[in-house]
């Protein structure tokens, strides 16, 4: 019981005061990203409402990450992306994740890496909703090359636009495919 209460407290759902009692908190006021992971699967399967919210936040944050990376990327980070693009030993989903990790690191802002790390498991678990369509995989492959070229040119405006465009497209395709699997 104590362990369960402690987990609920960590999730921001309870306030435990020694000698005073246990107080329930409103998850909308006190919840955190760990709680978001639980809510994502709250109905025993993927929650479309929560996934849509995550994709929306990603659409706001990640283009700024890419724009900052264009300004700060160094030769080693560019080489890493080039190596990822040239490898055939990983899936397109793994390639996408690896490129985003390097871009996050290149931004110079640790928050972006932590943000991506938090969602990586969810991303990989549900990446089939997007990457199972060969057209989406090919579009992402072209995008990876375009973002690499924009990063090489330190073109932050182009990086921001490319990232926003692909995220909007991926969000639309993912949600469309999720609806198809729930019908």
């Amino acid at each position: 019981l104590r362990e369960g209460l402690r987990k609920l407290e960590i999730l921001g759902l309870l306030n435990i005061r020694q000698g005073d009692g246990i107080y329930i908190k409103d998850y909308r006021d006190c919840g955190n990203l760990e709680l978001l992971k639980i809510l994502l699967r709250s109905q025993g399967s993927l929650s479309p409402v929560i996934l849509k919210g995550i994709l929306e936040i990603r659409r706001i944050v990640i283009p700024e990450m890419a724009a900052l990376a264009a300004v700060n990327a160094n030769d080693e980070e560019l080489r890493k992306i080039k190596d990822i693009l040239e490898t055939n030993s990983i899936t397109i989903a793994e390639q996408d994740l690896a490129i985003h990790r390097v871009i996050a690191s290149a931004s110079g802002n640790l928050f972006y890496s932590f943000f991506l790390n938090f969602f990586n498991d969810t991303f990989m678990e549900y990446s089939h909703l997007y990457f199972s369509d060969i057209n989406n995989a090919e579009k992402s492959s072209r995008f990876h090359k375009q973002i690499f070229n924009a990063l090489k040119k330190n073109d932050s405006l182009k990086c921001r636009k490319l990232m926003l465009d692909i995220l909007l497209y991926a969000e639309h395709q993912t949600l469309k495919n999720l609806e198809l699997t729930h019908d």
Side-chain angles (χ1 to χ4, degrees):
L1 181 62
R2 228 177 276 151
E3 185 178 321
L5 290 172
R6 179 72 182 130
K7 283 183 181 180
L8 291 171
E9 184 178 38
I10 290 169
L11 291 173
L13 299 174
L14 295 179
N15 185 9
I16 300 173
R17 297 184 197 154
Q18 293 299 88
D20 189 29
I22 300 171
Y23 299 88
I24 297 172
K25 297 164 74 176
D26 186 332
Y27 73 94
R28 293 167 296 209
D29 295 334
C30 304
N32 57 41
L33 291 176
E34 287 300 322
L35 179 59
L36 187 60
K37 273 188 178 178
I38 292 169
L39 290 175
L40 189 61
R41 294 170 186 79
S42 64
Q43 298 160 346
S45 63
L46 182 63
S47 167
V49 172
I50 300 296
L51 179 61
K52 189 174 188 295
I54 290 171
L55 293 172
E56 185 177 295
I57 293 298
R58 189 174 92 154
R59 182 176 9 106
I60 295 166
V61 172
I62 302 303
E64 295 308 312
M65 174 187 83
L68 192 56
V71 174
N72 295 325
N74 61 40
D75 291 340
E76 180 184 341
E77 290 155 339
L78 292 173
R79 183 195 50 74
K80 284 180 183 178
I81 293 174
K82 187 173 189 270
D83 291 346
I84 293 165
L85 289 171
E86 292 174 352
T87 187
N88 292 323
S89 63
I90 59 176
T91 68
I92 186 71
E94 292 167 330
Q95 184 184 69
D96 189 71
L97 187 61
I99 288 171
H100 277 79
R101 281 183 176 149
V102 176
I103 292 172
S105 177
S107 76
N109 183 332
L110 194 55
F111 168 80
Y112 291 122
S113 293
F114 287 0
F115 180 81
L116 287 179
N117 289 342
F118 179 79
F119 292 107
N120 284 346
D121 292 340
T122 302
F123 170 81
M124 290 307 290
E125 186 176 347
Y126 298 106
S127 64
H128 68 278
L129 290 170
Y130 176 76
F131 288 112
S132 61
D133 182 323
I134 190 70
N135 294 322
N136 294 342
E138 288 171 358
K139 187 167 182 80
S140 286
S141 186
R142 285 190 305 274
F143 157 75
H144 292 150
K145 292 173 184 136
Q146 292 171 334
I147 197 84
F148 173 67
N149 289 327
L151 286 166
K152 282 194 316 190
K153 294 175 184 173
N154 301 105
D155 190 340
S156 63
L157 293 175
K158 181 79 170 175
C159 283
R160 181 183 290 118
K161 182 179 180 349
L162 284 168
M163 194 62 81
L164 180 59
D165 289 349
I166 194 66
L167 290 174
L168 283 168
Y169 175 80
E171 181 178 331
H172 174 75
Q173 294 298 311
T174 300
L175 293 173
K176 181 177 83 171
N177 290 333
L178 181 61
E179 285 177 21
L180 292 174
T181 61
H182 277 75
D183 288 342

